[in-house]
Structures are given as structure tokens and as C-alpha cells.
Amino acid sequence: PQTAYFGRATFAGAINFVTKNPSLQEWGGEVTGEIGQYGTSDAIVSVNGPIIDDKLGVRLTARNLTKGAQYTENMQNMEVGERNTESGSLTVLYTPTDALRIKVFGEYAKLHDGLSMVFDFPVNEFGNCSPGGAATPQWICGVPPSVDIALSRVGFPAVLDGPFRDAMSQRSIYKRVLLGAGDHMIIRNTTAHAIADYQFGNGMTLSGIAAYHRTKAQWLEESTQDAKFGFFPCPRPNGCGRPFGQYLFLTDGLRYDRSLEARLTSDQEQRLRWIVGATYSNASSEVVSNGELPATPPSTFGLNALNTTETYGVFGGVNFDFTEKLTGGVELRYQSDEVFLNPNQRAATVRTIDDTFKSTTPRVSLQYQLTPDYMVYGSYAQGVRPGTFNGALLARPQFVIDILTQQFGVTLAVEEEELTMYELGLKGRWLDQRLQATVAVYKGEVTNQQISQSIFVNTPQFTGTVGFINNAGETDLQGVEIESSWLVIDRWRLDAGFSYADPEIVKDNCAQCVRIGGTLKSSEGKNIDGVPLVTGNLTVGYTIPLDADRNWYSRVEYFY
């Protein structure tokens, strides 16, 4: 984890994307085109150059990415899954002096997707477990039947008829329906950031970063009941403008975040190198789902939730060369998150909740240069995932909260999830530097793990499914990763990778498993779902030079 420098939730490290700088010497451009299966196409056009030679440069980029329909639904033989993204960006680089460098980047992107794929496994047909003594088996215990028998029940294209649009516009965050004809999801992203670096005469650098991001999203979800599972009538007497048996949900999402960072870095050519910095960020998200259920008028079904987080952090790091071969480093971050939640802005009786989560996360590393060509390293690091709330419980009766607290340890505030990780590795080049490889062995532990689940509550006063998160999990992580690249001859190159991961669940809390098997601990001793034990890849590439500026190449890739 890279929590010390980059903050929370960087459990698997951090990837730093650096946008290409505009040229300060000459104008140029680039055109990239790609076509592929299922109507895939990707076109990128960029132009860049100096406004003031050696001082001010700009880069303009435009892109259109289309993914064609990849699926065919079974009821009407319709193609579904089409996606399209249009984006444009502007980068400005200003270097008024040798000491000062300012870079500003802005981008606007619009994503609009067509009818999505719905994949349904008919549990009711093949269920063989009856948790809680239900009359009809609702679960499959053991090995399920072949997935080939699953139904793809997209059914019909959703139609945003006039009455539905009018009803949703009154309840939308945006006060109107953003979706156009044929759209099932639309996202509008606005991103901007500015970075300034000033280098003093003694080699120290003062840096500042300001960033802004906003996402406006709206997506349509439909549910179509076919003859096998029964029909639901249209709730309006004059029809719904769409096939009998279909009803819709329209969900709005709005998110923005702003951040500031300042840091001071020492001369990196010295034996003792250091960095200190401070960060501030403010983030807000709002989500509401409106829809139309059978025999009911359009109304709000998902809570109109508002979540805001204000974060303050300070960080620092020191690296020291003990000898020409041995280097050690220590990093530390202190961070405070003030989190506020209003789970339903449209209900005056629902109370809000807020809390502050604080953490101190260290990282210690040591590396030894065995020869000029390879070195070994070791590291110890701690990471945290931000705390959150069980906000939906605020709309539930207190006795329901008491039941969940007594049986499953549920609380309104969910504490931070913590990761402790150890890593040993070897990096180097061999065979006259034609072969380079990295081998890493790691072992870690996730504690206070946040587990999301739901359970059906059935009492005389309340009946319904209640979702919640609790800090009830613990997982051990261990594995090995190998990456290598070998230039066999000047034209022939091999790249290969291998990973073995063994994440074992040590402690679990499965509320639904109580009804199925009578125990909360059904997953303990098993691996995490969806994490393959072994993955690998092999790439063979061959290059033929045409002249000083051009090459032909061919490449074959295999992934396991």
C-alpha cells in the first residue's frame, strides 16, 4: 500500500498517470485509429506546439471511442451492449524561468451507452435449499447446474414515454431527464488540475497541486417479467408506452471532489533526501433512484442520499544512503476524514449522522544493491480503507437496528478497514542486460474488514430485506509475483509474467448463512471469491526495421 504518500484505499499500491507535455519547440500532430470486432472503433486526434517558443506550449486532443453491441438477448433477438465515449482535453505548459514550471490540464468526457445486458440465473427452477424453512427453495447449495441454462431476459427496449419523463423530471436531481433517444446511461465528466513546481537554488523544490472533478450520471434500469415468472400490469390506465410486463427505474448520480496539496522536497542528489507535505480535499456524492413498480405510480424507491467527506492530511518521508549499496526509507501520513451522511434528503424525519475517522499509516523500506545490475529489497507498510456509515438503517425502526446489533454486531458507524503488508523482492538485469526480471514475495493481513451483506427480517412489526456493513472480517494474504522481459536477439523479445495468490478468509460474518446452514462462519478457511490462485501471461514480439523512423512488428499474446 502507498497510503503514506497517496492516502487511503491505495491497498494495492498507486498508479500515477502523467499526461504528455506539449512541445515548446515545434508544432506537430498525431492521428490514431483502431477498428475491431463488434463494431469497435477508436479515433484520437491531437495537435500541440509552442505559443511562445521555449516558454508556453499547448496540446489539444479529441477522441471518439465506440464499442458495438456484444450480446444478443434471447426474447427478441436484439443486439445489446453498445457504448460510446466522446472526450476532449487541453494541456497548457508554462515555463517562464528555468526554476518555475506550471502545467494545467482540463478534460470533458461524455459517455452514453445503449441497452445493457441483463443476465439472469433461474434459481427458482433449480433451487435445492430452503433457508429459514421457506416453502419454496430459494438457494442452490452445492454445485449449480450448467450456466448454459441461464436466461438472458433483457426482453424489450425501455421506452421513456412522455408521462414517465414528466414524472421523473419532477423527482430528478437535475430536474430533467438527461437521457436521449436510445440511451440507457449517460455520464458527463469534467476534470481539471494544475501543477506548479519551483526549484530553489539549493536544489529544494516547492510543489503545489489543485484539482477538481465532477461527474453527472443518469442510468435507466428495466425489469421485464416473462411468462415463466408471471406478468405485472402497467400501472397507468392509458398504458405505459412500452410492452406489457415491463417497469422502469431511473437513477441519478452527482459527485464532485476538490483537492489541494503542497509539498517541499529536498535535493535528490544528496545522501539524505526528504519530503514533507499537506493535503486537503472535499468530496460530495448524491444518489437517488425513482421508478415505477407494478400497480403503483412513479415514486422514489432509492433513498436520496447525500454523502460528504472533508479530509485533512500531513505526510513526510526520509531516505538515507547508509552506504553506496544500502538505502533505507521511512514514510508516515496522518489523516483525518470528517464524514457526513444524510440518508434521505426528502424525508424530514430521518436523522443525519457524522463522524471523524483518524489514522496514522507508516511505510518502511530497505534496499541493497548487490551489484550494479541487481538489488534486493524489503518493505513493511500499513494501509486503511475509509470508514463509512450504515446510513440506510436510520430509516429503519430502532428494534430492527437492535436485532442486527445483537445478532451481527452492526453499528451505525463502520470503522476503517486495515491492511498490514510485508514484501521481499529481487530486481535486476542479466545476460548483458538483455534479461530483466522482478520477483516479489508478499504476506499480509486485512483486519476489521468491511463486509457488505443483507438479511431478511420478518417480525410482526416489520418485514423486509435490510442491508448493512459490519467490521467482521479478517483475511490473510500471501503470494508471489514474477515479471520478466528477455531480448533474445535484437528483433525478438519475450515478455512473461506469473502470479500465485492465496487469500484465505480467517474470520467471516455471513448473516444469510445462518438461515442456510445455521452458522455465521461458513466461509472461514476458504479463498476469496473471484480471485484466481494462478495467473500468467506470455508475449512473443518480432520487429523488422524499415528505415530510421519506421518499423513493422508482429506480436502474439497469451493470457491465463
Side-chain angles (χ1 to χ4, degrees), residues 96-109:
T97 68
D98 291 340
L100 180 61
R101 179 179 180 273
I102 301 172
K103 184 176 179 180
V104 179
F105 173 82
E107 182 184 50
Y108 177 78

Side-chain angles (χ1 to χ4, degrees), residues 394-416:
L394 295 177
R396 304 299 187 184
Q398 183 60 46
F399 73 87
V400 174
I401 301 177
D402 294 340
I403 292 174
L404 299 179
T405 300
Q406 294 167 8
Q407 295 187 13
F408 310 112
V410 177
T411 57
L412 289 178
V414 182
E415 296 301 319
E416 294 181 326

Side-chain angles (χ1 to χ4, degrees), residues 6 14 140 145 166 185 207 283 299 348 373-374 406 426 508:
F6 298 103
I140 297 176
D166 294 341
M185 182 185 74
S207 302
S299 58
D373 287 335
Y374 55 92
Q406 294 167 8
L426 168 69
D508 192 17

Side-chain angles (χ1 to χ4, degrees), residues 7 75 92 118 167 285 365 386 405 433 473:
M75 298 190 71
V92 179
V118 177
S285 64
S365 62
T405 300
Q433 299 198 2

Side-chain angles (χ1 to χ4, degrees), residues 45-57:
V45 179
S46 68
V47 60
N48 82 106
I51 302 297
I52 303 175
D53 286 347
D54 298 322
K55 299 291 185 182
L56 178 65

